[in-house]
Amino acid sequence: SQTIHQWPATLVQPVGSPLSLECTVEGTSNPNLYWYRQAAGRGLQLLFYSVGIGQISSEVPQNLSASRPQDRQFILSSKKLLLSDSGFYLCAWKMNTEAFFGQGTRLTVV
Amino acid sequence: AQSVTQLGSHVSVSEGALVLLRCNYSSSVPPYLFWYVQYPNQGLQLLLKYTTGATLVKGINGFEAEFKKSETSFHLTKPSAHMSDAAEYFCAVRGGGGNKLTFGTGTQLKVEL
């Protein structure tokens, strides 16, 4: 069966520090992968999606970047975090018509 | 481009009462529509989806939704609310490059005794 792993579950980082969130998928090959952010009181905003290794599409200009070094690995990064980067980050992958989500990472930038 | 509007960021119902969460969508192509539920500090879980065929879709936990093309709506209902239904609910539409899901801003459902 297919599963999606996302870590860490929670993270507190100072302003200006780097960020790396990792997401891996098991049980499937060449998945479409997505990073979403959910800010307090707001819906889910698509940040990046990837249809293959090294292929990244950015949905909104921001302080973040994404990479896909392996088929089933999707990484969200930042060189210098801002306070506004705080939020709940969700990784997802798509199979057929629906998307499956990881458990999320709660990022607090202080 | 696709978009989703969820009317009411907070909905409160009594236990045993009808749950109705509203969703309207905009899509330039025949839409695939979804409802997801999110419990605190967790990922999203699929409740139900509409792709093609029957417009009344039944999902998990007693929820159902009806696709009404003329009204561009996909409202979520449950005949009798349970305390365990308290969560945030997201409506989503699929389309665009990469088969992206576009989400509404969510509705927080509160169930009171």
Side-chain angles (χ1 to χ4, degrees), chain A residues 32 34 36 38 41-46 49 51 59 88 90 94-104 106, chain B residues 32 34 36 38 40-46 49 51 88 90 94 96-106:
Chain A
N32 285 1
Y34 308 82
Y36 285 87
Q38 184 179 19
R42 300 173 65 179
L44 281 85
Q45 180 184 36
L46 178 62
Y49 69 91
V51 299
E59 287 296 294
F88 192 56
L90 289 160
K94 191 185 80 68
M95 180 178 74
N96 297 325
T97 58
E98 65 188 83
F100 298 87
F101 287 82
Q103 290 299 294
R106 173 73 59 191
Chain B
Y32 287 3
F34 308 81
Y36 284 85
Q38 184 184 31
N41 291 312
Q42 293 188 29
L44 276 68
Q45 180 183 8
L46 182 68
K49 64 180 178 181
T51 54
E88 189 157 21
F90 291 92
R94 196 197 91 173
N99 290 312
K100 297 172 288 185
L101 274 177
T102 300
F103 286 87
T105 52

Side-chain angles (χ1 to χ4, degrees), chain A residues 10-81:
Chain A
T10 60
L11 191 60
V12 180
Q13 291 285 101
V15 169
S17 64
L19 173 74
S20 181
L21 303 181
E22 188 161 344
C23 171
T24 60
V25 180
E26 295 179 359
T28 185
S29 60
N30 197 31
N32 285 1
L33 296 171
Y34 308 82
W35 277 111
Y36 285 87
R37 177 171 60 198
Q38 184 179 19
R42 300 173 65 179
L44 281 85
Q45 180 184 36
L46 178 62
L47 302 177
F48 301 96
Y49 69 91
S50 172
V51 299
I53 296 174
Q55 300 179 61
I56 308 295
S57 295
S58 175
E59 287 296 294
V60 293
Q62 58 206 315
N63 184 43
L64 303 168
S65 62
S67 61
R68 187 166 175 178
Q70 300 180 44
D71 181 44
R72 288 171 286 179
Q73 184 184 31
F74 202 25
I75 298 172
L76 183 69
S77 303
S78 173
K79 293 182 179 178
K80 290 184 177 182
L81 284 168

